[in-house]
Amino acid sequence: MPKAQTSYASLLELNGEPVIRTYTADIKNVVSMGKKAEHSAIVLFFTLQFLGTTEEGNLKYKSSVQRRLFLDNKNRPVFKPSKAQKLALSVAKINDELILEVSKNYKFIGIINVEEVQKKWRKLKGVLQESFTDLQTVIGDFDWQMQTGNIQKIYRNDVFYNFFFSNFFYQEFHTEKSLEHKKILMNGIHNLDVPVLEQKTITEQDVLFQNITIATSAELDTKDKLFPLEKMNVFLGNLLGTKGSKHSLEFNYDGLYKVKPRIGLITEGHLAYAFRIKDIYTKSTTINFNLEKDE
């Protein structure tokens, strides 16, 4: 009589060495409305260093960005950025040095050096108001984001931090079910934040469990009280233009992490997700990161 397959769980431990690790990452967004498409992409070169724990037992990391580059729609570096890109690069400098708070599961919680970031913004704001006199609305948006009541939410829901900090260490991966978490896709459709339910599963592993692949997928969390159904219907209705028109919303989400469990490190990550209304609207986002070296 054949033996029944035994269910088991894997527990991944996180590397806690206080060394400097170097990463490259790129974040791309493409929005298509009819025949018009807008493309934005940026490459980051940064380091991450584990600093220890907070009084609450969470983890502290120092993130230091060495360089940012915009890419064109053919993934070539942009050496002559537009006015909007210059503004974005100027504002991004306030994030060059961040102290990040992360849970023991490697889930991003927020930033610790809030006052330092706000101080940098106040200093930069005066310079921007003189240099970009025709972009006061955009500067006003950044000013709102840097307010004490908003800043942590902005960082916490950032699409890159949400993916980079994977939230699967010291959590059990079972053979019969996926690891599931709620998350928010900030500006998922237009400027609307969309709740989703994300699942992670170990899909590949070698015999010695030294190299594994963790696949991640997600579905819309329409039962979440934050799901912006009414605002979404208004936005889509404005796009359709014709009363009575009905179009379905398609959502795709596909990603993976390459992990070395024995040393507790993620060596690379890739994510692509998209919202589509056939022939009318598409917004796609891709995120990639790679561990380049340890110092």
Side-chain angles (χ1 to χ4, degrees):
M1 184 175 180
K3 293 182 180 180
Q5 185 175 4
T6 303
S7 173
Y8 69 92
S10 300
L11 193 71
L12 308 184
E13 295 187 2
L14 179 64
N15 190 297
E17 297 174 330
V19 299
I20 297 174
R21 295 193 160 87
T22 301
Y23 292 87
T24 57
D26 62 78
I27 304 101
K28 304 177 185 179
N29 287 286
V30 180
V31 178
S32 300
M33 298 176 66
K35 296 181 179 181
K36 183 180 178 182
E38 295 182 357
H39 174 280
S40 66
I42 195 166
V43 176
L44 299 174
F45 304 86
F46 68 100
T47 61
L48 194 70
Q49 182 180 15
F50 176 58
L51 299 179
T53 59
T54 66
E55 293 181 358
E56 294 79 13
N58 292 320
L59 313 179
K60 291 192 297 184
Y61 287 88
K62 180 181 179 181
S63 170
S64 302
V65 177
Q66 278 73 52
R67 194 179 183 194
R68 296 179 180 85
L69 276 176
F70 275 103
L71 302 176
D72 64 17
N73 56 10
K74 294 183 179 179
N75 292 326
R76 299 171 302 194
V78 175
F79 296 109
K80 294 182 178 180
S82 66
K83 182 181 292 187
Q85 288 173 332
K86 288 180 180 178
L87 175 63
L89 289 172
S90 296
V91 173
K93 287 184 178 296
I94 66 175
N95 298 317
D96 282 354
E97 297 285 341
L98 293 176
I99 306 300
L100 311 174
E101 184 174 4
V102 179
S103 77
K104 67 176 183 179
N105 304 119
Y106 210 54
K107 175 185 178 181
F108 183 66
I109 297 174
I111 62 171
I112 294 174
N113 57 333
V114 173
E115 293 181 359
E116 181 182 338
V117 172
Q118 291 174 319
K119 183 178 179 180
K120 287 181 180 179
W121 166 246
R122 288 192 294 269
K123 183 177 180 180
L124 178 63
K125 178 183 173 182
V127 176
L128 295 179
Q129 287 175 323
E130 294 179 1
S131 304
F132 299 95
T133 55
D134 57 339
L135 292 174
Q136 292 304 308
T137 300
V138 177
I139 294 174
D141 288 341
F142 285 122
D143 199 31
W144 179 86
Q145 292 177 20
M146 289 297 105
Q147 293 177 13
T148 301
N150 304 321
I151 187 169
Q152 289 291 15
K153 179 182 177 182
I154 296 298
Y155 282 98
R156 192 180 300 120
N157 289 337
D158 181 88
V159 292
F160 177 71
Y161 290 138
N162 252 299
F163 180 62
F164 183 84
F165 293 102
S166 53
N167 192 22
F168 56 59
F169 288 97
Y170 300 104
Q171 300 201 49
E172 291 186 346
F173 282 89
H174 292 271
T175 53
E176 71 278 8
K177 64 179 181 179
S178 301
L179 188 65
E180 185 174 274
H181 296 112
K182 289 175 173 283
K183 69 185 301 183
I184 299 290
L185 297 181
M186 189 167 65
N187 298 326
I189 299 179
H190 190 46
N191 60 354
L192 304 178
D193 298 342
V194 182
V196 299
L197 283 172
E198 185 185 58
Q199 298 86 32
K200 297 185 179 77
T201 307
I202 296 176
T203 55
E204 297 179 19
Q205 65 183 67
D206 56 16
V207 176
L208 299 178
F209 205 63
Q210 292 181 330
N211 297 280
I212 67 173
T213 298
I214 296 176
T216 178
S217 60
E219 58 186 31
L220 297 176
D221 189 4
T222 55
K223 295 181 180 179
D224 192 291
K225 64 180 181 180
L226 298 177
F227 194 82
L229 182 60
E230 185 176 341
K231 292 180 180 179
M232 193 182 297
N233 286 335
V234 171
F235 171 67
L236 300 183
N238 291 335
L239 285 179
L240 296 172
T242 306
K243 292 184 177 180
S245 298
K246 291 185 178 180
H247 291 75
S248 61
L249 173 66
E250 299 176 6
F251 173 63
N252 303 103
Y253 187 102
D254 184 37
L256 63 84
Y257 299 91
K258 296 286 187 179
V259 185
K260 293 186 178 295
R262 293 291 180 89
I263 59 175
L265 282 179
I266 302 171
T267 57
E268 61 182 279
H270 308 279
L271 174 65
Y273 62 88
F275 296 88
R276 294 187 180 90
I277 305 170
K278 188 176 180 181
D279 300 326
I280 296 173
Y281 176 86
T282 300
K283 182 173 182 180
S284 61
T285 298
T286 58
I287 301 171
N288 302 290
F289 69 84
N290 289 278
L291 173 64
E292 301 296 335
K293 64 178 180 178
D294 296 345
E295 297 181 6

